[in-house]
Amino acid sequence: LIGSLYKQQGRFEAAADCCQREIQLNPANADAHYNLGLVLQNLDRPEEAIAAYHTALGLRPDYVDALVNLGSVFQGKLDLAAAIRFYEQAIRLEPQNPEPHWQLCTALLARGDFERGWREYEWRWQQRDFATPKANYPQPLWNGADLRGQRILLHAEQGFGDIIQFVRYATLVSLRGGEVVVGCPPQLRSLLATVAGVAQVVTNRTTLPPFDLHAPVMSLPALFQTTLENLPRKVPYLTAPATGLDLAGKPGGRLNVGLVWAGDPAHKNDRRRSLPLELFGPWADWPGIHWHSLQAGSRAADLNQLNLDRKSVV
């Protein structure tokens, strides 16, 4: 219990000590070895984490959570083949458990196996901590068929980066003969309105226009049977909206450089996605560089630490 509290507080060294003491008291406790593996994984000690998970599995061969986390360690080591083996073993033990399906999808997509990967990706809706609730519209989900002039709502999910990446499929949807309405957060309205084939952008789920069909934007790759060969790669598919700021470089002038250093602090993997702004301190006074903060959210306040241009261009 104390080790779990330490882990929740991010005090992983203290949590590891608690797990080790628990193992000394009861070496046959599979949960203690599993918890130690979790803590070691958070401490970026993958080989020790692998050993702990293997010990847990030796004590309990059907320990699905240990198999999934063992796979994730190997995935972090870029050994995708080993990761996939462990995920598939977990699925054989618990076919309806969404977690190994989700992890399997990430490994398959990373390996370029899009046919299987996008199919497994649909398990995301069943995860307990999935970031976006599943839409519950009375209109049917689109199955990829010709739209014949119908209006289709493509609704956003997950983070801003996901929406920006996957909205490229809206153009392909319009080519199936439909009128495309894109739903997104208000901050992205003007940007997504520049995508070819998008007839309307809406930002309020309670006042949606009439529509006939709908689809989550991140289900579109599966509907279009996306592979590495037919991946939509026409760029640019977005155009930055006018801001009134002159960011064009001038001959002999300073280079304009935008800087973003952090993602959503609530993201469970934020420590691997964000950086302390002070790491950029040595660059602040580089000659020939005009820095612009593109950072949004609470971490924008970090700007007070450095002598950077505070003018936002978003």
Side-chain angles (χ1 to χ4, degrees), residues 60-291:
R60 191 190 303 170
D62 62 349
Y63 204 151
V64 167
D65 288 344
L67 285 167
V68 172
N69 281 281
L70 188 55
S72 70
V73 177
F74 277 98
Q75 187 167 346
K77 289 161 56 69
L78 302 182
D79 188 344
L80 297 176
I84 288 170
R85 286 198 302 272
F86 288 116
Y87 297 147
E88 290 177 335
Q89 186 178 345
I91 290 170
R92 285 193 293 271
L93 288 167
E94 293 185 6
Q96 299 306 311
N97 185 336
E99 187 60 28
H101 284 283
W102 168 254
Q103 296 292 350
L104 176 61
C105 107
T106 65
L108 291 170
L109 292 174
R111 195 171 65 172
D113 187 348
F114 283 9
E115 182 179 358
R116 294 180 62 203
W118 292 125
R119 186 168 62 246
E120 293 290 336
Y121 195 65
E122 292 304 306
W123 282 87
R124 67 193 185 278
W125 303 111
Q126 299 188 40
Q127 286 188 290
R128 290 188 301 272
D129 58 349
F130 188 60
T132 307
K134 190 171 184 178
N136 189 25
Y137 298 121
Q139 294 88 339
L141 278 167
W142 184 48
N143 63 5
D146 188 276
L147 288 162
R148 302 180 183 277
Q150 296 180 98
R151 180 181 287 174
I152 180 169
L153 172 68
L154 304 181
H155 39 94
E157 57 174 285
Q158 302 183 58
F160 283 18
D162 300 295
I163 301 164
I164 291 170
Q165 285 287 349
F166 285 78
V167 74
R168 68 183 69 203
Y169 280 90
T171 304
L172 300 183
V173 175
S174 71
L175 294 175
R176 292 278 171 96
E179 181 183 351
V180 177
V181 178
V182 172
C184 70
Q187 299 93 322
L188 296 179
R189 174 196 284 273
S190 58
L191 181 63
L192 302 194
T194 68
V195 177
V198 172
Q200 185 178 359
V201 178
V202 295
T203 60
N204 191 329
R205 291 191 178 212
T206 62
T207 57
L208 292 172
F211 60 93
D212 304 296
L213 301 161
H214 71 99
V217 291
M218 296 181 73
S219 290
L220 295 175
L223 290 171
F224 281 93
Q225 299 179 334
T226 302
T227 66
L228 287 174
E229 289 70 35
N230 65 14
L231 185 74
R233 54 175 60 90
K234 183 179 179 181
V235 292
Y237 61 92
L238 293 165
T239 303
T243 63
L245 296 175
D246 182 12
L247 297 179
K250 298 177 176 61
R254 290 191 295 175
L255 182 68
N256 289 298
V257 178
L259 184 63
V260 176
W261 56 92
D264 183 355
H267 194 284
K268 64 181 179 182
N269 203 28
D270 184 59
R271 67 192 183 90
R272 297 183 186 275
R273 302 167 76 244
S274 302
L275 291 170
L277 180 59
E278 55 263 28
L279 291 180
F280 295 95
W283 301 353
D285 296 321
W286 272 12
I289 301 292
H290 188 185
W291 296 102

